[in-house]
Amino acid sequence: MLGFMDYIQRAFYDATHWNIDNSYGSLTATAQNLLDFDTPRGLRLNVSSLASPQMGTSYAVGTVGLVDGSISYLYSSLPLSKSSKSTEIQLEEVIQGYRHLQDLRTPDQSWWWERWQGGRRTDRKNTLMYGRMFLPRGTLEALYLRRISPTRQLRLSCVSDSALNNGGTVLGLVQNDHGKYCTEYLYSTDSGLCGIRGLYNFGPDPRIAAQDQESDDMREPVHGRFSAGAELYYGILNKSGGASLGLRFTTLPQHAGFPYTMTLTLNPLMGNLSSTYAVKAGRNLALCSRFNFNFYSYESDFQLGCELWRRQVPNDADIAWAKNKIRPEWIDGSASPTDDVSGVLKARVDQDWRIGLLWEGRFKEMLFTLGGLIDLKRRERIVGAIGVEFQYSS
Amino acid sequence: MAFNFNWSPLIADTTRAKDMLTAALNKSPKPPIIVDDIIVTELNLGSIPPELEILEIGDLAEDRFRGIFKMSYTGDAFLTLKTRVQANPLNTYLSTKPSFASPQPLAAASSLTIPLSITLSDFRLSGFVILVFSRQKGLTLVFRNDPLESLKVSSTFDSIPFVRDYLQKEIEGQLRVLFMEDLPAILHRLSLRLFVPDYQEMEEQHAPAIRGANTVDPLYNPAQDPIDNAGNALDEGDLAGWSLDSAETHASFSNKNILRLAALAESQKTLSLFTPSIQGAVFRAWAGAAERAESSGLQSPTLTRSALSRVQSTLSTTSLSAPSISEGSDTGTTASRPSISGASSIYSGLGLGGGRSRNSNRKRKKRVINLRKDKTDDCTTPETPITPLATPSSAPALSQDDDLSLTLRPVHRNVHFNAKPTSLDVFDNQGPSRQTSTPSHEDSTPTYTQAPVPFAPQVLHHPKPTTSSRTPLLQTTSLDRYPSSSSPTLLASPSIAEVSMSNLASTGGILEQAWMMKMAKEIARKVAEERERSRSPDEGSARPPLRRAGDGKAVQAAWDRERKRSDEGASEAPPAYVA
């Protein structure tokens, strides 16, 4: 489940029309959501509030043996209209599951953002700032996010921690999203790591499609999207590098059958090959599998995961008498569940019978996450880390 | 002096060493590049032993050793390690970084673990090794400098020069740490494990000093094979009834009792300011202290200072520490006067005690034999024949004091050796110490200088008859003197130190005691008969101390509540002595 601050960040992305799915980094987002979910440890409590549309605070207290916590503040220059109350937050927006990709969105024209007043330009670039202090350790996290242009975004994330070399690290990331393709350049002060990432979407270019709108009817609708990307890293100080290639095919909403996503990533340097296949088998069910193989060391592993959504059955007992009286034959229709989600169960298992379970939902006015790890191979301690996390926001 | 280093048994069994090495390697947090346990698969110490050059021996005894070596090794030992390493540098890099500011690569950081086997061979070591061995504390080995000169690292990645160089560099660094930090710890544990039965025994006995001489302290342990005054064996039922509570007899002292006695003596000590100092009289407080010092081996600072260091200072100008062992060895060579050699060993112990008591109990621990400076030591040795003269002063003093200084001690001897006269004789060596010490407590110097000097001539006469029978024994036990002489350092164990705090008449010291007991045991059989015949009245005199002890016990019972009574007991003491 997304934390409150992540949720607000997503709201900022939405408000600034930034497509987080159109990035090489999120190529395997579906598989990661279904297979690599984090299970909470211990007891954790988050209290958050979006006091004004531009300012948010969040406090967290947790205990895993010893008590720790964090304080975080967020400022956004763009007023965020997303509802922040934990009673009103849509679970689909905070629970990360199968990512059903939408059609590519045409990037905003830069002049759309211009705002003139009295012959002078008054618009400002939207900025989000976020800071988080972990209390016992004194670790400080900071994030600076700036929409430089409709197709460009700057992201600076910093961590200050005495345990780190040089006392901290800064990561700068410039992202360009042109819809059809996306490029990212990053630099990390730690060991001078430079990186470049790119993603190219095959198929119609959304920018051109937007221009000749009238010809849209002539073409047959696109059912899927094929994307290819690559990343390359090089650490200047430690003179080491890394690279990977990735392919993805995913169905679009126009697809008639089950939505599914297939990815294939390859690390040519390390000989690692990873393929995932995820399918949304029903409205409430998604399945995913992943197979890793290393053709240098012949190591392989296999993981399976699923998520099951539980929808609320509408509680219309108060109007049932009226229905029964007026339209008795409507009984079937009224029993069908609504779109409101009451909870999601996620499970994963790998070839070593390590099982991860996660139950996310809403309890009273709080969002909760309950999870644990089970290792069937270890007889002496089958149940591993178990945790509960509560989130309350207003 | 010769040392015998046996290399071959070390080669034989390396499994345990392998296990411990494996444990040690996996204990410390490993660098992220190592993703599996490090397993030592092969360990061979090779057939060529390291060359050791002895630079200095600081302490030498049967159960202890302390020395500095120069070590050089060019042998054929090798060591094979097996582990798995993370071959992706990006993976290891990211695993140590906070995820918040990590670039979160999609697949570039995927892991590739590679089994790695590393063979370390062609060790070239040279360095200075400080080796400290003690039977209770095990073996401590410290490298004074970085001993690793070079080694050859061969691994799975030898074909890749970059990796090979990297591994060579890393492993050399790790080995330096291993030699400087881990290896001493491993060896220490290994030695402790080897000596663990001894170690446990030690802890049970609480009297490490006596262990060195292979004797049993009757005061700390129930008598091993208890016998009564007539020499009849006692069974345990009788033993149980024998405690200090019964005034008549006590053949055994339990640990608890000895602690009580110590407390009593101490209380008397604290009140001794109010007791008048009477010349020629031994107070019970002093006597108790002397006895306790003898039993526990702890030396009282005040007494030893006065009694011992004075003797030494007057008679010999050599430093306190250096001659002690050299004397012992030299006296062994002076076969002409075995009796004195025995005395000199006592003396060396005394000197030791004196030197030590001058500082804190713990401080003066080592006597340095610098092998390089043999000649200079020889210069000092000529004095040794003189020094024995001083120590014997104690022995004859006893003959004077025999009637006065009857204490509990004869009783223990009875129990132990079944030969009262000799035991008395042996213990009487402490007589002068008591005598000199009592006055010296108030003001040490004036009485002090007088005391030893007049006695010295007597020494020459007296011990000879007794020791004439000893001479062969002395020769045989000459080695045993080393442990006994060294035992003072062991003695500093806190438990005892706590009990017996300050002033115990320490002329004897443990050295003396340990040696005495050894000697007495052997002499007892031979001398017992004639002595018993000649000194039969002493048996009668041996009784009174028992009663006194009973009084002391009674006092002691009340001691916790009121100290006055202990004082009272002290005041009662003189009459008892007279009796």
Side-chain angles (χ1 to χ4, degrees):
Chain A
M1 186 177 288
L2 283 178
F4 182 77
M5 287 306 180
D6 294 324
Y7 172 71
I8 298 296
Q9 263 183 59
R10 291 283 173 95
F12 179 81
Y13 286 136
D14 285 348
T16 57
H17 307 299
W18 183 260
N19 184 5
I20 55 168
D21 288 321
N22 198 23
S23 152
Y24 182 73
S26 57
L27 193 76
T28 58
T30 294
Q32 280 172 0
N33 290 342
L34 288 172
L35 298 174
D36 297 337
F37 54 84
D38 285 329
T39 55
R41 282 178 61 89
L43 179 66
R44 188 157 289 276
L45 183 65
N46 293 302
V47 179
S48 326
S49 155
L50 195 63
S52 76
Q54 291 179 303
M55 187 75 193
T57 56
S58 177
Y59 307 97
V61 175
T63 170
V64 191
L66 67 162
V67 178
D68 60 347
S70 67
I71 304 173
S72 46
Y73 293 96
L74 181 144
Y75 166 79
S76 162
S77 65
L78 184 71
L80 303 173
S81 56
K82 269 271 175 64
S83 116
S84 67
K85 288 188 170 57
S86 54
T87 50
E88 297 169 8
I89 290 176
Q90 295 292 311
L91 280 178
E92 289 96 330
E93 291 180 350
V94 289
I95 295 174
Q96 297 173 288
Y98 183 88
R99 289 208 67 83
H100 201 180
L101 296 190
Q102 305 297 311
D103 275 324
L104 286 175
R105 194 174 171 281
T106 309
D108 290 347
Q109 299 297 317
S110 59
W111 54 266
W112 290 2
W113 286 21
E114 293 173 10
R115 197 182 304 145
W116 296 85
Q117 197 165 26
R120 289 167 58 202
R121 201 171 156 182
T122 56
D123 62 299
R124 292 291 179 92
K125 297 191 167 55
N126 292 317
T127 307
L128 181 138
M129 283 182 282
Y130 160 73
R132 183 176 191 185
M133 179 79 150
F134 292 89
L135 274 181
R137 283 178 295 150
T139 305
L140 185 69
E141 288 179 357
L143 173 72
Y144 178 82
L145 201 61
R146 188 172 175 87
R147 285 302 305 272
I148 295 168
S149 76
T151 60
R152 181 168 295 174
Q153 172 178 277
L154 172 70
R155 182 189 169 100
L156 284 175
S157 38
C158 324
V159 174
S160 170
D161 189 343
S162 57
L164 295 173
N165 294 343
N166 308 321
T169 175
V170 179
L171 174 77
L173 179 66
V174 176
Q175 296 172 295
N176 300 300
D177 181 8
H178 299 280
K180 178 78 172 168
Y181 63 92
C182 162
T183 54
E184 292 168 271
Y185 308 95
L186 63 90
Y187 177 77
S188 169
T189 57
D190 209 351
S191 77
L193 186 78
C194 299
I196 177 170
R197 291 194 282 219
L199 181 73
Y200 183 82
N201 295 309
F202 295 93
D205 191 333
R207 291 169 294 182
I208 299 165
Q211 286 169 2
D212 45 340
Q213 196 70 253
E214 59 280 358
S215 65
D216 198 24
D217 303 332
M218 315 283 283
R219 271 183 288 163
E220 60 179 276
V222 185
H223 294 291
R225 184 190 305 152
F226 185 73
S227 312
E231 63 181 347
L232 187 67
Y233 297 96
Y234 184 72
I236 296 169
L237 296 184
N238 56 14
K239 295 186 176 54
S240 60
S244 75
L245 306 167
L247 299 173
R248 175 181 67 188
F249 180 78
T250 185
T251 57
L252 293 177
Q254 293 88 346
H255 182 64
F258 297 120
Y260 61 90
T261 302
M262 293 183 292
T263 66
L264 179 73
T265 56
L266 168 72
N267 186 333
L269 294 179
M270 295 299 140
N272 203 65
L273 193 66
S274 171
S275 64
T276 69
Y277 179 71
V279 60
K280 200 164 170 61
R283 192 168 164 239
N284 298 325
L285 177 67
L287 301 165
C288 184
S289 67
R290 178 166 60 194
F291 181 67
N292 287 325
F293 176 68
N294 194 304
F295 52 78
Y296 288 157
S297 66
Y298 297 129
E299 283 182 339
S300 64
D301 60 79
F302 182 68
Q303 282 173 304
L304 282 176
C306 78
E307 66 172 1
L308 201 55
W309 293 71
R310 184 162 184 261
R311 314 255 172 202
Q312 265 173 349
V313 176
N315 189 7
D316 48 359
D318 47 347
I319 54 166
W321 61 273
K323 258 186 201 162
N324 286 340
K325 212 156 210 180
I326 303 166
R327 294 282 188 271
E329 68 275 12
W330 279 9
I331 290 169
D332 291 341
S334 68
S336 69
T338 61
D339 282 347
D340 288 342
V341 180
S342 66
V344 181
L345 174 72
K346 286 185 187 178
R348 65 157 181 254
V349 61
D350 66 4
Q351 88 276 9
D352 289 329
W353 291 104
R354 283 190 295 250
I355 297 173
L357 289 172
L358 194 68
W359 171 251
E360 295 172 305
R362 200 195 307 271
F363 174 73
K364 305 274 185 196
E365 294 190 349
M366 286 186 292
L367 304 176
F368 73 91
T369 308
L370 171 69
L373 297 173
I374 298 171
D375 195 340
L376 295 181
K377 282 276 181 70
R378 289 174 61 187
R379 291 286 168 202
E380 69 277 15
R381 219 166 65 109
I382 287 181
V383 177
I386 291 183
V388 191
E389 186 175 338
F390 290 101
Q391 275 188 49
Y392 177 79
S393 56
S394 63
Chain B
M1 199 182 318
F3 294 92
N4 187 15
F5 291 101
N6 211 347
W7 185 249
S8 51
L10 292 174
I11 311 172
D13 179 29
T14 55
T15 51
R16 201 193 284 164
K18 260 193 282 184
D19 292 346
M20 298 191 86
L21 208 55
T22 304
L25 285 171
N26 292 311
K27 182 189 61 186
S28 55
K30 293 187 285 286
I33 195 169
I34 293 172
V35 292
D36 200 1
D37 285 351
I38 305 171
I39 298 162
V40 179
T41 53
E42 261 183 292
L43 174 64
N44 193 332
L45 291 177
S47 56
I48 305 170
E51 288 173 19
L52 287 175
E53 182 185 330
I54 302 169
L55 294 183
E56 186 180 314
I57 292 177
D59 199 354
L60 180 63
E62 204 173 54
D63 57 343
R64 293 174 316 120
F65 179 79
R66 177 189 163 90
I68 301 176
F69 296 91
K70 182 170 186 285
M71 184 198 70
S72 65
Y73 180 73
T74 54
D76 52 354
F78 67 93
L79 171 71
T80 307
L81 304 170
K82 226 165 70 177
T83 186
R84 299 203 309 162
V85 293
Q86 175 59 257
N88 192 344
L90 207 58
N91 186 300
T92 57
Y93 158 72
L94 289 176
S95 64
T96 59
K97 302 296 172 245
S99 63
F100 186 77
S102 116
Q104 291 174 334
L106 187 71
S110 60
S111 78
L112 170 61
T113 60
I114 296 176
L116 173 69
S117 112
I118 300 176
T119 303
L120 312 178
S121 55
D122 290 350
F123 290 93
R124 294 286 175 273
L125 308 176
S126 93
F128 293 94
V129 186
I130 301 171
L131 180 73
V132 180
F133 171 73
S134 114
R135 198 168 267 272
Q136 331 138 268
K137 290 175 185 161
L139 180 79
T140 313
L141 185 143
V142 182
F143 288 97
R144 202 164 190 176
N145 60 337
D146 182 7
L148 187 68
E149 271 187 349
S150 71
L151 84 162
K152 186 183 163 199
V153 178
S154 46
S155 71
T156 333
F157 298 114
D158 272 354
S159 52
I160 312 168
F162 170 76
V163 180
R164 192 188 57 208
D165 295 346
Y166 173 79
L167 281 176
Q168 176 91 33
K169 200 181 71 187
E170 281 290 303
I171 285 168
E172 275 185 20
Q174 289 288 322
L175 266 188
R176 282 176 216 281
V177 176
L178 181 88
F179 274 118
M180 299 293 277
E181 291 170 14
D182 291 342
L183 190 65
I186 294 172
L187 283 176
H188 184 69
R189 246 176 293 141
L190 202 64
S191 65
L192 274 189
R193 201 177 282 186
L194 272 175
F195 294 110
V196 84
D198 288 352
Y199 194 63
Q200 287 169 347
E201 212 175 321
M202 282 301 214
E203 300 225 314
E204 287 166 11
Q205 283 203 359
H206 288 291
I210 294 141
R211 273 193 45 77
N214 288 327
T215 56
V216 177
D217 185 354
L219 301 178
Y220 276 87
N221 298 293
Q224 299 282 311
D225 43 358
I227 44 172
D228 60 14
N229 290 338
N232 303 319
L234 297 167
D235 43 20
E236 293 187 2
D238 292 334
L239 257 187
W242 287 16
S243 66
L244 289 175
D245 298 322
S246 65
E248 274 76 27
T249 51
H250 49 98
S252 73
F253 279 79
S254 70
N255 198 357
K256 193 171 72 179
N257 284 339
I258 200 66
L259 287 179
R260 284 178 186 168
L261 276 178
L264 174 63
E266 209 172 308
S267 73
Q268 290 171 340
K269 229 27 177 177
T270 56
L271 296 172
S272 67
L273 281 176
F274 303 104
T275 57
S277 65
I278 303 166
Q279 291 284 341
V282 176
F283 281 101
R284 187 162 158 201
W286 300 113
E291 161 207 335
R292 196 150 45 91
E294 184 248 3
S295 65
S296 68
L298 256 196
Q299 330 239 329
S300 79
T302 58
L303 290 179
T304 48
R305 181 186 305 164
S306 56
L308 300 179
S309 60
R310 289 296 168 179
V311 171
Q312 199 169 29
S313 62
T314 54
L315 292 174
S316 70
T317 55
T318 54
S319 74
L320 282 177
S321 57
S324 61
I325 278 187
S326 60
E327 280 172 10
S329 58
D330 286 343
T331 52
T333 58
T334 58
S336 62
R337 270 214 249 170
S339 64
I340 289 177
S341 72
S344 74
S345 73
I346 299 170
Y347 169 70
S348 66
L350 300 183
L352 224 199
R356 194 162 56 104
S357 60
R358 218 166 254 188
N359 311 327
S360 75
N361 268 344
R362 252 295 192 199
K363 265 190 179 175
R364 282 250 0 112
K365 189 173 183 180
K366 68 166 186 179
R367 290 143 289 147
V368 176
I369 304 179
N370 198 336
L371 294 181
R372 289 163 168 169
K373 294 179 184 173
D374 275 342
K375 284 159 192 167
T376 59
D377 278 345
D378 289 341
C379 299
T380 63
T381 49
E383 293 177 345
T384 52
I386 302 172
T387 52
L389 295 181
T391 49
S393 70
S394 57
L398 295 190
S399 58
Q400 292 182 346
D401 294 343
D402 268 345
D403 33 358
L404 287 179
S405 67
L406 284 178
T407 62
L408 298 178
R409 197 160 304 103
V411 182
H412 311 312
R413 291 305 152 187
N414 287 342
V415 175
H416 217 59
F417 304 114
N418 196 16
K420 265 149 269 168
T422 52
S423 64
L424 275 179
D425 193 39
V426 168
F427 274 97
D428 284 345
N429 282 340
Q430 296 202 334
S433 71
R434 285 179 225 135
Q435 211 181 20
T436 56
S437 61
T438 35
S440 69
H441 191 66
E442 263 71 33
D443 53 350
S444 54
T445 43
T447 56
Y448 200 40
T449 46
Q450 297 167 355
V453 179
F455 288 136
Q458 294 180 351
V459 176
L460 291 175
H461 305 299
H462 263 281
K464 279 202 173 175
T466 57
T467 49
S468 61
S469 58
R470 290 187 209 165
T471 39
L473 297 175
L474 277 178
Q475 301 292 8
T476 56
T477 56
S478 62
L479 271 182
D480 292 335
R481 266 178 287 148
Y482 289 108
S484 59
S485 67
S486 59
S487 47
T489 57
L490 301 180
L491 271 182
S493 81
S495 63
I496 295 170
E498 282 170 332
V499 178
S500 60
M501 307 283 358
S502 50
N503 34 18
L504 307 177
S506 65
T507 45
I510 357 108
L511 161 82
E512 185 188 15
Q513 182 221 3
W515 179 76
M516 288 293 181
M517 297 175 89
K518 238 196 161 56
M519 293 307 299
K521 254 187 205 170
E522 291 169 352
I523 299 164
R525 216 169 295 126
K526 297 188 175 181
V527 190
E529 295 153 6
E530 45 185 271
R531 278 303 188 114
E532 217 150 2
R533 259 178 263 128
S534 61
R535 281 213 189 178
S536 53
D538 280 350
E539 183 126 22
S541 66
R543 291 251 158 173
L546 297 179
R547 296 203 190 94
R548 262 182 283 125
D551 291 347
K553 170 60 189 172
V555 171
Q556 187 274 337
W559 174 69
D560 286 346
R561 277 161 279 154
E562 36 182 351
R563 291 208 164 184
K564 288 175 186 175
R565 290 197 58 180
S566 67
D567 194 14
E568 203 177 272
S571 65
E572 286 170 5
Y577 280 105
V578 173

